[in-house]
Amino acid sequence: MTADSVEHNGRRRNDGTGLPDASDGRPDDANGAIARPADAPRLDPRPVYRPRVDPAAERVFGRPEGTDGAFGATPRARASEPEIRHAPPTDAILAEAYGRPGDADETLQRPPSVSEDDPGDDPGPSDPWRDPDSAVRLGAPLESEDGEDLPPAPKLTLREVLFDRRVQPRALASLAALALVIGVVGGLAVAVVTSDTGSLTSRGVSLSQVAADEDVPAGTVARVADAVLPSVVSIQVTMGDQSGTGSGVVIDGAGYIVTNNHVVSMAATNPDAKVQVTFDDGTKVPASVVGRDIKTDLAVLAVKDVDNLVVAELGRSEDVQVGEDVVAVGSPLGLSKTVTRGIVSALNRPMRLSGQGTDTDAVIDAVQTDASINPGNSGGPLVDIEGRVIGINSAIKSETGGSVGLGFAIPIDDVTEVVGELIRNGEMRHPEIGVNARSVVNDVASGAEVANVQNDSPAQRAGIVEGDVIVRVGDREVTTADELVVAVHAQEIDQPVTVQIVRSGRLVDIQVTPESD
């Protein structure tokens, strides 16, 4: 750079850089702009930095193929003039019905020439509630042309109201007689259809239970035996060279006897088997199986052509108390009219009954007693000290097979419900939720652990899974798998019930609706 150029372009800096000093603020042209030194270095443009785009991200967020512009739809061109749409022509029928007649010249509205202050020749009555701005006015009331009172009209009879005098009294009497005949015939037909002729079941039987009478003094065992024995029977089932014995009790004067299912199951499953009933006076008659329930180990027999039957008096489970005296009556080991005495040891004891050559598969909510019960007592009554049946003896628990003071009877409330259903319909339905469980006791819970859940069962639909521990069903606490069966059978079919489970250490309430088995 020459001295002339330095003089022309400006002074140099004193910082040793050798660059011209363009900060002196002296303009070099008429516009006042500072001129760029001729030897000033020119910098190249900064390169554009484009970060590398991941191929996967580009496929997801990149511009679609074939798209050059924005992603949005191309705005449509505006119409130069708005489209005018005309209403469709009026339907000819509607126009004829509601249109103005062709020869009419008046309008439905008041002509604009009529003033608000000029109501016309008939101003009408004054109305204090009238809106002064309303265009509607009240006219004069319509007066009757004939002011004379009309004579009272005669009252119409029922025949005239219903038939307009077109039906004669004789025809009405015939219709009434025909309706009566139809009603009588229909009633007889219903009676024939619903009758129990030729069937062992009956809908006319109702079992009654008697409440405890606190005013009756406690009787002795001898008096109880004398009152109960006439209603207790011995039952013998034979098939070829096989036979079995048991007991039963008469519960209805029509010849119905209740016993255990395992006593008569051989006869129920084999047509060649015979059932014989021996009464207290020694009378022996054949019996037929009316119905049986393998889930409660109960069965009903029926006998015919037996007069003067003594019917046992049935008590109520709610009156039974632990520690009260009881008497067991039956035919243990074939010894009829056997009476033993004991007390009620416990209530609501879940007890499983199965096996021993029978199809019984039951869990009963038993009445436990220490009264001596042996094979052959099954089906006989357990009665309180006032002679009322409070249970049906069904099982014992013993390592030797004989009585050790652990006998179990089906509660009378369950007997009444099941037997009544067997007499009416020949079968009994029970509620089920569709789970198999095993008893479990650990630090977390004590109850019935779900081993498996049946497909499309109420439990599966409610959300119960394997491993859940059921600890309560409704108001009944569950501590074992047998108690779960008892608790479920105590519910109503198709009625939701709260099932409490332990899952992962937490209590969970689930609504389950039991279904019929």
Side-chain angles (χ1 to χ4, degrees):
M1 180 179 294
T2 62
D4 294 339
S5 62
V6 171
E7 180 67 23
H8 177 72
N9 295 309
R11 296 174 300 174
R12 291 185 178 272
R13 296 181 180 178
N14 296 325
D15 55 3
T17 61
L19 296 177
D21 188 359
S23 61
D24 57 358
R26 291 180 299 175
D28 289 343
D29 54 15
N31 296 330
I34 298 176
R36 180 180 180 278
D39 57 349
R42 294 183 178 272
L43 301 178
D44 294 334
R46 178 179 296 177
V48 178
Y49 173 70
R50 296 182 181 273
R52 180 177 176 274
V53 180
D54 182 65
E58 184 178 4
R59 285 194 300 270
V60 176
F61 302 103
R63 189 187 305 275
E65 295 183 3
T67 303
D68 297 331
F71 288 99
T74 304
R76 292 184 294 179
R78 264 179 136 184
S80 57
E81 293 184 1
E83 181 181 0
I84 300 177
R85 297 184 179 181
H86 299 278
T90 305
D91 185 84
I93 297 177
L94 296 178
E96 181 180 355
Y98 300 102
R100 183 193 301 275
D103 57 348
D105 54 358
E106 67 276 3
T107 64
L108 298 179
Q109 298 179 347
R110 180 186 304 166
S113 59
V114 180
S115 174
E116 290 278 344
D117 300 332
D118 186 13
D121 297 336
D122 188 9
S126 175
D127 185 3
W129 300 102
R130 178 180 176 277
D131 183 2
D133 296 331
S134 174
V136 180
R137 297 181 181 275
L138 294 177
L142 181 62
E143 297 181 358
S144 175
E145 297 179 357
D146 189 1
E148 297 181 0
D149 295 334
L150 297 177
K155 294 183 179 180
L156 298 179
T157 63
L158 180 61
R159 180 173 65 89
E160 294 172 339
V161 172
L162 296 178
F163 304 104
D164 196 19
R165 300 184 181 179
R166 286 176 291 183
V167 179
Q168 297 299 323
R170 183 178 300 176
L172 287 178
S174 301
L175 289 175
L178 179 61
L180 180 61
V181 171
I182 293 175
V184 172
V185 173
L188 293 176
V190 172
V192 171
V193 172
T194 59
S195 65
D196 296 312
T197 303
S199 174
L200 295 175
T201 60
S202 173
R203 297 184 179 273
V205 175
S206 177
L207 302 181
S208 61
Q209 297 173 265
V210 181
D213 190 353
E214 298 179 357
D215 297 333
V216 177
T220 63
V221 175
R223 293 177 182 175
V224 174
D226 185 62
V228 176
L229 278 173
S231 63
V232 180
V233 300
S234 297
I235 300 173
Q236 185 174 14
V237 180
T238 58
M239 186 185 66
D241 57 352
Q242 299 181 4
S243 64
T245 60
S247 305
V249 57
V250 179
I251 57 172
D252 186 78
Y256 290 106
I257 299 171
V258 62
T259 185
N260 285 136
N261 173 68
H262 71 262
V263 173
V264 299
S265 60
M266 180 172 61
T269 56
N270 296 277
D272 297 333
K274 297 180 180 180
V275 181
Q276 182 176 265
V277 172
T278 303
F279 288 90
D280 178 68
D281 60 359
T283 303
K284 296 182 179 181
V285 295
S288 302
V289 178
V290 177
R292 61 196 188 99
D293 181 28
I294 64 173
K295 291 188 176 181
T296 56
D297 194 27
L298 288 171
V300 177
L301 302 179
V303 295
K304 296 182 178 179
D305 302 328
V306 179
D307 299 328
N308 301 322
L309 289 177
V310 178
V311 179
E313 190 176 86
L314 306 182
R316 297 190 303 183
S317 295
E318 64 184 26
D319 296 330
V320 181
Q321 298 180 357
V322 175
E324 71 173 276
D325 293 328
V326 290
V327 174
V329 184
S331 303
L333 303 177
L335 303 174
S336 60
K337 304 180 183 180
T338 299
V339 177
T340 57
R341 179 181 180 179
I343 65 170
V344 175
S345 303
L347 297 174
N348 306 118
R349 180 79 73 189
M351 180 59 57
R352 181 171 290 275
L353 309 175
S354 61
Q356 300 179 352
T358 175
D359 57 356
T360 295
D361 185 14
V363 179
I364 62 175
D365 201 19
V367 177
Q368 181 179 331
T369 179
D370 66 346
S372 182
I373 296 177
N374 290 281
N377 273 113
S378 296
L382 182 68
V383 300
D384 60 16
I385 207 65
E386 297 176 7
R388 293 186 301 268
V389 179
I390 63 171
I392 297 297
N393 300 319
S394 184
I396 61 173
K397 199 166 187 178
S398 172
E399 295 181 356
T400 63
S403 174
V404 293
L406 295 175
F408 303 93
I410 305 171
I412 191 60
D413 282 1
D414 296 343
V415 174
T416 303
E417 179 184 3
V418 174
V419 169
E421 193 68 21
L422 293 178
I423 293 176
R424 286 189 295 269
N425 302 315
E427 62 179 359
M428 178 69 185
R429 294 295 183 182
H430 298 277
E432 298 289 350
I433 62 174
V435 298
N436 293 326
R438 51 178 172 262
S439 300
V440 60
V441 179
N442 52 40
D443 296 337
V444 178
S446 174
E449 182 180 12
V450 177
N452 59 72
V453 182
Q454 299 175 9
N455 291 330
D456 196 30
S457 64
Q460 185 184 57
R461 292 193 293 270
I464 296 177
V465 298
E466 296 180 6
D468 289 342
V469 179
I470 300 176
V471 296
R472 181 178 292 274
V473 176
D475 297 331
R476 178 70 179 258
E477 184 178 359
V478 175
T479 58
T480 64
D482 289 343
E483 196 161 14
L484 173 62
V485 177
V486 171
V488 171
H489 286 178
Q491 307 305 315
E492 297 291 336
I493 297 175
D494 296 331
Q495 295 297 321
V497 62
T498 300
V499 176
Q500 190 175 76
I501 66 173
V502 176
R503 177 181 296 172
S504 302
R506 299 173 57 186
L507 285 175
V508 181
D509 289 342
I510 299 177
Q511 290 291 321
V512 182
T513 303
E515 294 180 345
S516 173
D517 58 356

